Amino acid sequence: MLQPNPNLSDLVSDAAAGLKQRFQAEAIITAAAPGRVNLIGEHIDYCDGFVMPFAIDRYIVIAGHPNGSHEARIATAISEDIATIDLTELQQVSEPKWANYLRGVIRGFQDRGYTIPGFDAFILSSVPGGAGLSSSAALECATATFLEGLLGIHLDTREKALLCQKAEHDFAHVPCGIMDQFASAFGQPNRLVLIDCQSGEPEMVPFENPDLTVLISNTLVSHELSDGGYAARRKHTEDGLSILGKASWRDVVTADVQTHWEALGEPVNRRARHVVGEISRTISAAAALARNDFEALGPLMAASHDSLRDDFNVSCKELDILVEIARNIGRQGGVIGARMTGGGFGGSTVTLCESSKASEIAATLSAEYEKATGIQPQIFASRPAQGAHLIQ
Ligand code: GLA
């Protein structure tokens, strides 16, 4: 039931083989960047909150070589088509759509005064797409890292992540926060990336206990964050803050939301309750994890899911079903906590559980979810993995 994670070294050699087959060239530069899962702190990265994701052991790999021209030619494993990008031009949104992530990142380098030499590249991914696991941030961070290799430069990690976030804003039209690109860029083995989104500072928090397993269950119900739901939520939080007359959500307490409940109006009042509650839950969860207090951590994850479902309205039937199954397995069955992860409207859940029972839990999640929905979910486990890097 537990799907294995493809080896990064296998992906790297498959990408090199793809480059050879499509462009008859040897890989000179290879970059890899991971997706992410978020343990807690959802939809508050754009509200100056705290978030606690980590880079997962699923990667996008780009293998390439300079081609001596002024064009980038990019092939992928999923289509026969080759996307061509004229590097003499300042990049704009264009077709095919998937290449906009690369165009957006190239544009970020162009805006910093870099001239990108022509290259051919082949892209391969083990990050499930549309699964709330940040395959887009992985593609952006892999592209940026590849370009660093091509140019022989090294951007500051924070600047690289912000460049990638801007690519997502301007070229994919998703007004995302900083969580995904930070997790993909800063990730380290055995470390959570606890981000204070007000200061923009990531703190690497140890997550080494072999008795803990993080299960990621993909509902296989896909979402498009650019279809407006995400932007609408972000707008609600901005409206809420201005009605409350505060400069930052960090200055807002639960009593403020209660006092202004009528003035905030529906649904902004519920959105506000989520933001304030989730910021405090994430701070408590980080503290609980630090003292190995799983009895405290589980209920915080549960409350996070309920708030995303009832107040922020970004869950969906399939996510609720998976979370419910995990809850029914309960602490005796080895489940510490479960919730939806990522932007929502489909995608994946995260289940923190005891390693000795992880396979059994995955089997139950899979069987019960299939019984309820007719869909066989994709379930895998991941430990915190290495962030975006060049393969030497
Ligand atoms: C998406 C966005 C992130 C974050 C999450 C929700 O993944 O890209 O910035 O807002 O949704 O927590």
Side-chain angles (χ1 to χ4, degrees):
M1 291 308 149
L2 262 182
Q3 207 187 63
N5 293 320
N7 251 323
L8 178 55
S9 54
D10 291 345
L11 274 182
V12 168
S13 35
D14 289 352
L19 184 75
K20 188 154 201 171
Q21 197 220 332
R22 303 291 279 276
F23 298 104
Q24 294 74 51
E26 299 294 334
I28 307 284
I29 301 139
T30 304
R36 64 99 189 93
V37 67
N38 188 20
L39 280 188
I40 193 162
E42 216 66 84
H43 279 281
I44 52 170
D45 59 344
Y46 50 82
C47 297
D48 285 347
F50 288 90
V51 295
M52 199 158 59
F54 66 82
I56 56 175
D57 201 5
R58 295 276 181 144
Y59 286 89
I60 289 187
V61 171
I62 306 183
H65 81 129
N67 63 15
S69 78
H70 298 292
E71 270 181 4
R73 298 185 298 166
I74 303 142
T76 69
I78 45 179
S79 146
E80 285 302 306
D81 297 341
I82 289 178
T84 303
I85 296 175
D86 181 350
L87 296 165
T88 61
E89 285 179 5
L90 209 52
Q91 295 307 304
Q92 309 288 345
V93 173
S94 180
E95 292 289 328
K97 220 170 143 193
W98 63 264
N100 284 325
Y101 296 104
L102 292 108
R103 286 193 194 92
V105 173
I106 292 171
R107 176 63 188 261
F109 279 74
Q110 291 178 325
D111 288 344
R112 283 165 179 76
Y114 294 107
T115 302
I116 312 288
F119 64 90
D120 295 331
F122 185 83
I123 304 180
L124 206 57
S125 175
S126 65
V127 187
L133 301 173
S134 297
S135 56
S136 55
L139 181 52
E140 290 149 6
C141 290
T143 303
T145 306
F146 178 85
L147 295 180
E148 286 180 300
L150 188 68
L151 292 165
I153 60 155
H154 184 69
L155 294 181
D156 170 67
T157 309
R158 196 165 176 278
E159 185 182 2
K160 179 159 83 172
L162 292 172
L163 181 159
C164 290
Q165 180 198 25
K166 189 166 183 342
E168 180 90 29
H169 287 185
D170 298 347
F171 283 71
H173 306 303
V174 178
C176 63
I178 58 172
M179 172 168 74
D180 305 348
Q181 291 79 9
F182 265 52
S184 183
F186 281 101
Q188 281 174 19
N190 295 319
R191 294 288 181 273
L192 306 178
V193 187
L194 175 63
I195 310 164
D196 176 341
C197 301
Q198 188 175 41
S199 67
E201 285 305 323
E203 185 194 334
M204 307 312 291
V205 176
F207 187 83
E208 303 177 302
N209 187 343
D211 298 335
L212 292 182
T213 290
V214 175
L215 292 178
I216 296 160
S217 308
N218 182 0
T219 59
L220 292 179
V221 179
S222 193
H223 62 270
E224 281 276 348
L225 290 187
S226 59
D227 73 358
Y230 184 90
R233 295 308 180 283
R234 185 164 183 163
K235 175 81 170 46
H236 290 155
T237 64
E238 286 161 5
D239 292 349
L241 197 60
S242 90
I243 295 168
L244 291 167
K246 301 278 187 179
S248 165
W249 280 106
R250 290 279 272 281
D251 307 330
V252 182
V253 294
T254 310
D256 295 326
V257 177
Q258 277 158 357
T259 311
H260 295 87
W261 193 257
E262 296 302 326
L264 286 164
E266 161 67 29
V268 174
N269 43 21
R270 287 185 293 113
R271 308 291 190 250
R273 183 163 61 190
H274 168 75
V275 171
V276 176
E278 189 76 356
I279 291 176
S280 109
R281 280 189 289 274
T282 306
I283 296 170
S284 305
L289 199 64
R291 53 174 201 272
N292 280 327
D293 183 353
F294 306 129
E295 309 314 317
L297 192 56
L300 290 166
M301 290 178 79
S304 167
H305 183 81
D306 293 351
S307 175
L308 289 158
R309 183 192 60 207
D310 301 334
D311 277 350
F312 221 67
N313 301 124
V314 290
S315 187
C316 64
K317 188 184 76 188
E318 292 81 1
L319 288 167
D320 294 343
I321 289 172
L322 272 175
V323 167
E324 196 58 33
I325 300 166
R327 279 183 192 173
N328 289 341
I329 296 170
R331 200 64 192 84
Q332 280 95 334
V335 170
I336 293 165
R339 52 181 289 281
M340 58 159 274
T341 190
F345 310 106
S348 303
T349 65
V350 57
T351 305
L352 183 65
C353 67
E354 290 170 26
S355 298
S356 60
K357 300 191 176 124
S359 303
E360 211 180 311
I361 292 167
T364 307
L365 285 171
S366 180
E368 301 272 315
Y369 180 73
E370 192 176 355
K371 198 156 79 186
T373 62
I375 307 167
Q376 207 180 8
Q378 178 190 26
I379 305 182
F380 61 97
S382 180
R383 301 206 72 78
Q386 182 68 45
H389 60 285
L390 283 171
I391 310 285
Q392 300 304 339

